[in-house]
Amino acid sequence: MQHWEVIFFFLIIAFVYASVGFGGGSSYLAVLTFYAFPFQEMKLTALICNIIVVTGGTIIFIKHKQVSWKKVIPVVLVSVPMAFLGARLKLSENTFFIILGCSLLAASVLLWIKTKSLSEIENEEFKNNYIKDGSIGGAIGFLSGMVGIGGGIFLSPILNLMKWDTPKKIAATASFFILVNSISGIAGQLSVPHKEINYTHIGLLASAVFIGGQAGARIGIKKFNPLAIRRVTALVVFIAGIEVLHKHMHF
């Protein structure tokens, strides 16, 4: 690998995202964009790293019965096939980066928004509409498949704004959502042959996020303010989105 510092960046991103229940796909893409990695390799790398980071957290959420399957299934039932279809789309490099840049800007806004804490919503009733949940899941899944992320960075803030459930159960839902959509996205990408894939790069970065993700899941949440982490991440993602659009939009 020509730029070895990318491995360090991935480790740090995985640590930070794992501490708040995300996979880090958007920030992996941001870093790879700065270093001009081949865009097909970027998408595959981000999804594989997502899976490595969120798998452990998802298992923990399931063991502690934080995943409400009755509510989660309608969301992922539509998102998974849509993520597969999105990943199969043949986009030009320029179109991909424009969609990615806009997605990063949208994600930064959603990450910045402060949602209510558990103590503020503990007496509220959670109302769910399975058709609406499926529609949201499908739309995010399709976008996630196109750009190579798991989608939790969009789903979690939206569900919090909808008062869909408690913050912990939303985090559990987002973690599972990222996992299954990333798997579906990889399946969609691998169903279309690509030449520009360096699996040595992917292996090195995957190893880095495994270490960072394991550390973040165990100690990050105890040491850092989740809102502060989200807002720092929002700024990084926003800057990356602006940079991507500046390079690839021609007025």
Side-chain angles (χ1 to χ4, degrees), residues 27-39:
S27 290
Y28 302 138
L29 287 172
V31 171
L32 295 175
T33 298
F34 283 130
Y35 284 91
F37 275 63
F39 82 105

Side-chain angles (χ1 to χ4, degrees), residues 45-251:
T45 301
L47 290 174
I48 290 173
C49 290
N50 264 347
I51 292 171
I52 291 170
V53 173
V54 300
T55 296
T58 301
I59 292 170
I60 292 171
F61 280 129
I62 292 173
K63 281 184 176 180
H64 288 84
K65 299 182 179 178
Q66 291 296 327
V67 179
S68 301
W69 294 111
K70 186 178 178 181
K71 299 175 72 174
V72 171
I73 293 301
V75 179
V76 300
L77 198 61
V78 184
S79 75
V80 168
M82 293 303 288
F84 181 85
L85 292 175
R88 279 183 57 85
L89 274 183
K90 293 183 178 180
L91 301 175
S92 69
E93 185 170 346
N94 200 58
T95 300
F96 165 74
F97 280 112
I98 290 173
I99 295 172
L100 173 61
C102 293
S103 300
L104 292 175
L105 293 182
S108 69
V109 173
L110 289 171
L111 280 172
W112 188 269
I113 296 171
K114 184 180 185 299
T115 53
K116 291 183 178 181
S117 65
L118 178 59
S119 61
E120 292 175 304
I121 65 172
E122 58 185 0
N123 294 321
E124 293 185 8
E125 293 185 11
F126 302 114
K127 298 178 181 178
N128 299 109
N129 182 315
Y130 294 141
I131 295 176
K132 183 189 290 185
D133 292 349
S135 299
I136 291 170
I140 296 174
F142 188 72
L143 175 62
S144 301
M146 280 197 296
V147 299
I149 59 176
I153 200 170
F154 294 110
L155 184 71
S156 182
I158 289 173
L159 294 186
N160 274 297
L161 291 171
M162 290 171 57
K163 300 177 183 177
W164 191 80
D165 212 315
T166 64
K168 184 163 282 190
K169 288 195 174 181
I170 288 174
T173 300
S175 185
F176 183 71
F177 186 86
I178 293 166
L179 177 61
V180 295
N181 281 317
S182 295
I183 293 171
S184 180
I186 288 173
Q189 286 192 46
L190 294 181
S191 69
V192 181
H194 298 300
K195 295 180 180 178
E196 296 180 316
I197 304 292
N198 187 318
Y199 289 100
T200 301
H201 288 173
I202 294 175
L204 290 170
L205 296 173
S207 300
V209 300
F210 175 78
I211 296 169
Q214 290 296 310
R218 285 167 169 74
I219 65 175
I221 199 65
K222 299 176 183 178
K223 300 290 185 182
F224 301 111
N225 181 325
L227 179 61
I229 291 174
R230 283 178 51 168
R231 288 194 164 171
V232 169
T233 303
L235 287 173
V236 173
V237 171
F238 179 81
I239 293 168
I242 293 293
E243 177 70 12
V244 170
L245 292 178
H246 176 70
K247 284 184 178 180
H248 296 277
M249 288 190 74
H250 308 290
F251 297 100

